[in-house]
Amino acid sequence: MKKRVLALFFSAVMAMSLVTGCSGKSQNETMAAKETEQAQTSAAEKGTEGETVLLTIFDGYAGEDPHGKFIYQYADEYMALHPNVVIDVQAVSTNDIYTKLSAMAATPKDVPTIFFTSADAVATLHDLGLTSDISELVPEDLKAKFANGVVDSCMLGDEMSYFPVAVQPLAVIYRADRFKEAGLEIPKTWEEFTAAAKALTKDTNNDGQMDEWGFDMVGSNNSSGQSRFMAYLWSNGIECVKEENGKWITDITEDQKFMDAFSRWTNMNAEGIVPTGITEVDYPTAANYFAMGYTSMFLTGPNALGVAYANNPELKGNLGSFKMPGDYPGTMLGTEGYSVSAYATDAEKAAAIDYLKFFVEHDKDMQFWQSSGKIPATAEGQKAGYISGEDYAGFLQQIADGCRPTVKFAGVSGLKSALGNAYASVFSNEKKNEEAVKTLVSDVDELLGDYN
């Protein structure tokens, strides 16, 4: 089974890289919990004192601006306090991380000690046997510092599969000034969203060509575009994959509900309310379009706010955010962070957790999070002043209202690839909507068959 998972995952990530309860406790139970926590603390101390420990990190943040510099800064600050720990940060794009890790599953000695991961990829990495269960390595008092739902989003069954650093739920950031000028209300449905996008699509210089578009769609056939399309389908009440009676099933069929949702997405391009050359619009391009004022609504994580303000400070005070339209939650909490290698030694694992604890706790100014626009994973971090305005309101409202659980389907990368191939074939005029959906249904059925 693992070989088949590896083959499917490797092919999918290669494609991506080419184109991201309360209850009373007894005294005995309380004593046992304290003893467990003391043992965890002791293990961490052993990993950060005495013997030299090398932590290699595949880091998706490190190569990004403007926040990547803080990855190196935090590592340097930790090493200054722990001279026996050497941290080797390697900046690797997220798509390349998953490609490299999938290949390393066959040569585990090459797997880095720590590697960036996120909610939409961790199930596959776990299924490949690359992630450690860090449940008993993370002290209970530290788990309690994370915001509501964060630790749960890192769990696969009974295992805590990665250490949370930030949450990235999807919402729509928008030009509040343009909404006010056009007399628009916040859209609650995708029909209302499309109507607002049409009203915001303009030819501002009267040359016969649109130069402002209502919706900043990421139409590239890579993980960024695929993830947004899957979130859109979820918000329409379509379960792309779910487990039922021990089998994986899907709502991706040729019925009218799915056909309508699929066609509404692709028709936005046909109707000209998204940027031209949509198949080439990846996340960096879309983020820059929004920052430069070419687009007015952008389905994205809060990190795009960091990009917008870094590139155009005049946008401060003119942006807002709202929950994704639709009657269903279209987004996972989007927890990002770091997994610890299943092949790391006990000393490496202890030092890794101690460093990650330092990462999320030591910087009271939250420089990494504030510069990136990301929302901290800790409850205290989510009180930071920079996320208290209207620009973060939609993201925080989605967190408060509840997000989808983490996708635990190990073939999610293959599923996303099939979704991307479907919408890309329509955008490129290779297929009509009906043909694309027929092929998609066949591809998804075959994929689920491999995992059932």
Side-chain angles (χ1 to χ4, degrees):
M1 176 63 180
K2 187 175 291 185
K3 288 182 179 178
R4 184 167 70 243
V5 172
L6 175 59
L8 290 166
F9 182 51
F10 186 72
S11 63
V13 294
M14 282 298 290
M16 292 191 300
S17 66
L18 289 172
V19 195
T20 161
C22 296
S23 62
K25 287 189 169 83
S26 68
Q27 185 175 4
N28 287 339
E29 289 174 316
T30 302
M31 289 298 293
K34 288 183 178 178
E35 290 171 0
T36 298
E37 188 165 334
Q38 289 170 354
Q40 293 165 342
T41 302
S42 176
E45 289 172 347
K46 287 180 181 178
T48 55
E49 294 179 1
E51 63 183 280
T52 299
V53 178
L54 172 64
L55 302 180
T56 56
I57 305 177
F58 276 9
D59 205 307
Y61 299 132
E64 299 175 345
D65 288 326
H67 51 282
K69 62 184 178 182
F70 295 110
I71 299 299
Y72 296 98
Q73 177 180 316
Y74 292 175
D76 288 342
E77 290 170 350
Y78 183 84
M79 287 188 288
L81 296 172
H82 303 85
N84 65 303
V85 178
V86 177
I87 301 176
D88 176 19
V89 175
Q90 300 178 23
V92 185
S93 73
T94 54
N95 282 343
D96 286 344
I97 284 175
Y98 303 139
T99 304
K100 290 176 180 290
L101 289 173
S102 64
M104 288 176 177
T107 56
K109 64 181 179 62
D110 297 327
V111 177
T113 321
I114 302 170
F115 44 88
F116 170 88
T117 193
S118 57
D120 62 350
V122 71
T124 304
L125 298 177
H126 173 269
D127 206 61
L128 290 171
L130 298 177
T131 61
S132 284
D133 176 11
I134 61 173
S135 301
E136 296 188 5
L137 293 172
V138 180
E140 293 302 318
D141 64 336
L142 177 56
K143 290 178 184 176
K145 294 180 181 180
F146 291 110
N148 184 40
V150 170
V151 172
D152 286 344
S153 70
C154 297
M155 302 296 292
L156 290 176
D158 295 329
E159 296 186 13
M160 187 174 180
S161 56
Y162 63 113
F163 189 103
V165 166
V167 294
Q168 286 269 78
L170 291 178
V172 179
I173 61 174
Y174 71 103
R175 289 290 299 266
D177 52 344
R178 292 178 180 175
F179 263 61
K180 183 177 180 180
E181 181 182 340
L184 295 172
E185 300 290 331
I186 298 300
K188 303 296 185 184
T189 67
W190 283 104
E191 288 78 10
E192 292 174 357
F193 180 91
T194 300
K198 289 179 180 177
L200 293 165
T201 299
K202 299 178 180 179
D203 172 12
T204 62
N205 57 8
N206 298 313
D207 67 351
Q209 300 290 327
M210 297 300 177
D211 46 43
E212 279 184 9
W213 296 274
F215 179 28
D216 197 4
M217 178 187 284
V218 177
S220 57
N221 185 10
N222 63 4
S223 185
S224 293
Q226 296 157 6
S227 294
R228 284 167 170 79
F229 181 55
M230 185 160 63
Y232 160 79
L233 294 175
W234 285 337
S235 72
N236 281 274
I238 294 167
E239 291 289 347
C240 297
V241 63
K242 63 180 179 180
E243 192 172 12
E244 189 174 281
N245 298 322
K247 286 193 173 184
W248 295 105
I249 62 173
T250 183
D251 290 341
I252 296 175
T253 67
E254 294 183 67
D255 69 7
Q256 197 61 47
K257 179 180 179 181
F258 183 79
M259 183 63 69
D260 288 346
F262 184 92
S263 299
R264 186 191 301 116
W265 186 264
T266 56
N267 287 348
M268 291 186 199
N269 180 55
E271 293 169 0
I273 59 177
V274 302
T276 54
I278 192 62
T279 57
E280 302 302 317
V281 180
D282 55 10
Y283 168 75
T285 302
N288 285 325
Y289 279 173
F290 188 82
M292 294 166 68
Y294 296 147
T295 54
S296 297
M297 293 188 291
F298 186 15
L299 174 59
T300 188
N303 56 310
L305 290 168
V307 175
Y309 294 142
N311 286 283
N312 188 358
E314 294 181 3
L315 288 176
K316 284 188 177 287
N318 289 320
L319 301 184
S321 65
F322 57 85
K323 286 174 55 177
M324 197 183 309
D327 295 330
Y328 305 88
T331 178
M332 296 183 286
L333 190 55
T335 307
E336 297 179 344
Y338 297 92
S339 286
V340 178
S341 169
Y343 302 100
T345 65
D346 289 345
E348 290 169 342
K349 290 178 182 180
I353 296 301
D354 193 64
Y355 168 65
L356 294 172
K357 177 178 183 292
F358 175 87
F359 188 107
V360 299
E361 286 189 333
H362 86 287
D363 184 1
K364 304 306 179 186
D365 294 327
M366 309 299 292
Q367 295 173 94
F368 165 76
W369 293 268
Q370 187 165 182
S371 63
S372 66
K374 296 177 186 292
I375 297 174
T378 61
E380 189 63 28
Q382 290 186 8
K383 298 176 184 177
Y386 77 93
I387 58 174
S388 61
E390 286 302 309
D391 47 356
Y392 282 87
F395 299 102
L396 297 179
Q397 187 62 57
Q398 183 64 75
I399 292 172
D401 291 350
C403 299
R404 295 180 57 86
T406 300
V407 173
K408 298 180 180 180
F409 177 52
V412 67
S413 295
L415 173 62
K416 289 165 59 178
S417 181
L419 290 169
N421 291 339
Y423 66 68
S425 69
V426 177
F427 288 156
S428 62
N429 295 316
E430 294 175 20
K431 294 180 180 178
K432 301 294 186 183
N433 286 318
E434 293 76 11
E435 298 173 287
V437 168
K438 184 174 182 178
T439 301
L440 173 61
V441 169
S442 176
D443 289 345
V444 172
D445 285 347
E446 182 178 354
L447 177 68
L448 298 188
D450 285 334
Y451 285 87
N452 283 327

